[in-house]
Amino acid sequence: MRALLFSSQHYDQETFTQAAKGSALDLHFQPTRLTLDTAALAQGFEAVCAFINDELDAQVLERLAAGGTRLIALRSAGYNHVDLAAAQRLGLAVVRVPAYSPHAVAEHAVALILALNRRLHRAYNRTREGDFTLHGLTGFDLHGKTVGVVGTGQIGMAFARIMAGFGCQLLAYDPYPNPQMLALGARYLELPELLRQARIISLHCPLTEHTKHLINARSLAQLQPGTMLINTGRGALVDTPALIDALKSGQLGYLGLDVYEEEAQLFFEDRSDLPLQDDVLARLLTFPNVIVTAHQAFLTHEALEAIATTTLDNIIGWAAGNPQNLVTG
Ligand code: NAD
């Protein structure tokens, strides 16, 4: 069976080629992002394998279906970028990787917290310039601080366990409280109360119509001044211009982002020779208390291997009439 992988980077090629050894799959790698303009590249491919910034709206899906595609195999857990109703109408099956390594994302969220708190991004540059002063680098002990976890599924739980290990007090918000979280000693609160009490807030819920701009000007006003916000979930969970206002006023003391609402045009590409056209991102990058990473939280060897293995199993299972990890909406 022929499958085309859109948005595939060299590390995808390596892991997928390795994982496909001995199978009958014929994999083709396409670095280009899937859009309406590039969908024609999938002509004749029964399976199309897509990543998070590939476009899978109704028009793109129609073009894929017309070209003979029958299966959309997502290399991600999130499926907020797929028009599932259109896929169903067109007879396209959609499969995903429900879990690959919650630790990869949780540990990256913690890396952002530690780097922001101890200003590692500034210290790194300073010592390389021969400046060994410490002014402006004072952090705070994580031990005893209150951490709010928004979304306590697999990644939120992995994150909470690490923060519990630091000796933090855990607060949680999730419409479906997780008994494992309660066993860690966490308290579930309504979101406004969590926002008021937590010193560090980390977002681990999916992007849905209910969670879009969950963090906005109104919710930011509820924070204690100087709160740290970490978003490794999806960019649109936060209203980015509102974050900029909160950073300017000091309401937000630290911001760590691995995801950005407008990332599709930017992330995963080397644009260092080009002027940055996105003024909101450009402004964000001027703050000394902001770290932006380009959607790399998933990027560990373990996660890549798990993504490749599950995706190929998904394709093989579907082809054999035994579909698994179907997304039904
Ligand atoms: P999961 O399904 O295990 O957990 C999601 C949790 O969010 C569930 O407990 C659910 O009840 C909760 N939730 C749903 N609606 C909510 C709301 N309105 N408010 C608060 N909580 C809500 O998913 P997961 O594997 O933990 O992944 C979480 C998210 O992380 C994914 O949806 C994806 O967007 C993101 N993610 C990011 C990366 C990255 O590289 N940055 C990688 C993987 C996943």
Side-chain angles (χ1 to χ4, degrees):
M1 177 168 170
R2 297 175 79 224
L4 180 64
L5 284 81
F6 278 98
S7 298
S8 53
Q9 305 283 339
H10 66 88
Y11 46 78
D12 295 311
Q13 283 208 28
E14 273 173 32
T15 48
F16 271 81
T17 305
Q18 180 65 28
K21 272 190 184 151
S23 79
L25 288 173
D26 179 14
L27 301 181
H28 292 244
F29 297 94
Q30 179 53 254
T32 312
R33 203 162 63 86
L34 173 60
T35 64
L36 192 56
D37 292 334
T38 63
L41 293 167
Q43 175 82 31
F45 283 91
E46 207 176 347
V48 159
C49 185
F51 201 44
I52 43 185
N53 288 330
D54 287 316
E55 290 175 16
L56 290 153
D57 59 21
Q59 272 187 300
V60 172
L61 293 175
E62 274 160 22
R63 200 160 281 187
L64 292 177
T69 298
R70 293 287 163 260
L71 175 69
I72 307 294
L74 301 175
R75 306 201 291 282
S76 59
Y79 50 87
N80 52 283
H81 54 316
V82 187
D83 185 333
L84 292 174
Q88 198 175 17
R89 173 168 52 80
L90 294 161
L92 285 165
V94 181
V95 290
R96 68 176 182 131
V97 183
Y100 37 92
S101 169
H103 310 293
V105 183
E107 289 170 15
H108 191 76
V110 177
L112 289 171
I113 291 173
L114 291 170
L116 283 164
N117 175 23
R118 307 309 290 264
R119 274 78 164 177
L120 297 185
H121 53 306
R122 305 192 72 192
Y124 172 83
N125 286 324
R126 210 178 271 189
T127 53
R128 287 172 78 92
E129 292 293 324
D131 176 355
F132 303 107
T133 62
L134 299 182
H135 61 89
L137 302 185
T138 310
F140 57 85
D141 286 6
L142 286 172
H143 185 89
K145 296 298 179 296
T146 305
V147 175
V149 188
V150 178
T152 54
Q154 299 182 76
I155 296 171
M157 266 316 301
F159 170 79
R161 285 195 192 95
I162 300 171
M163 299 317 288
F166 278 113
C168 295
Q169 306 293 317
L170 296 173
L171 301 178
Y173 170 68
D174 192 308
Y176 304 98
N178 184 337
Q180 294 174 47
M181 194 73 186
L182 294 167
L184 265 187
R187 276 190 301 137
Y188 276 91
L189 299 174
E190 288 305 315
L191 185 60
E193 199 47 43
L194 179 148
L195 296 176
R196 269 192 284 276
Q197 292 190 28
R199 176 92 184 247
I200 299 171
I201 295 162
S202 195
L203 306 181
H204 300 291
C205 54
L207 176 62
T208 65
E209 57 181 314
H210 304 295
T211 59
K212 184 168 183 194
H213 293 183
L214 189 73
I215 302 297
N216 51 40
R218 220 165 50 144
S219 43
L220 288 163
Q222 295 168 323
L223 303 179
Q224 295 178 45
T227 298
M228 183 188 294
L229 177 68
I230 305 293
N231 186 11
T232 57
R234 283 288 181 269
L237 293 176
V238 299
D239 176 358
T240 316
L243 296 183
I244 291 175
D245 290 341
L247 285 161
K248 283 162 79 176
S249 71
Q251 189 72 1
L252 261 188
Y254 313 77
L255 176 65
L257 298 181
D258 184 53
V259 286
Y260 174 54
E261 190 165 4
E262 305 300 330
E263 70 179 52
Q265 309 296 331
L266 297 165
F267 285 10
F268 309 127
E269 286 179 28
D270 180 2
R271 306 183 68 84
S272 54
D273 284 338
L274 302 167
L276 182 54
Q277 301 293 340
D278 184 320
D279 292 349
V280 174
L281 182 61
R283 181 66 178 101
L284 264 187
L285 294 173
T286 66
F287 291 98
N289 49 350
V290 172
I291 298 180
V292 178
T293 53
H295 211 136
Q296 75 172 78
F298 74 98
L299 195 66
T300 66
H301 292 296
E302 291 81 358
L304 288 174
E305 279 169 29
I307 289 171
T309 309
T310 307
T311 304
L312 297 184
D313 285 350
N314 285 346
I315 297 174
I316 291 167
W318 176 83
N322 179 26
Q324 53 196 357
N325 297 322
L326 274 174
V327 185
T328 49

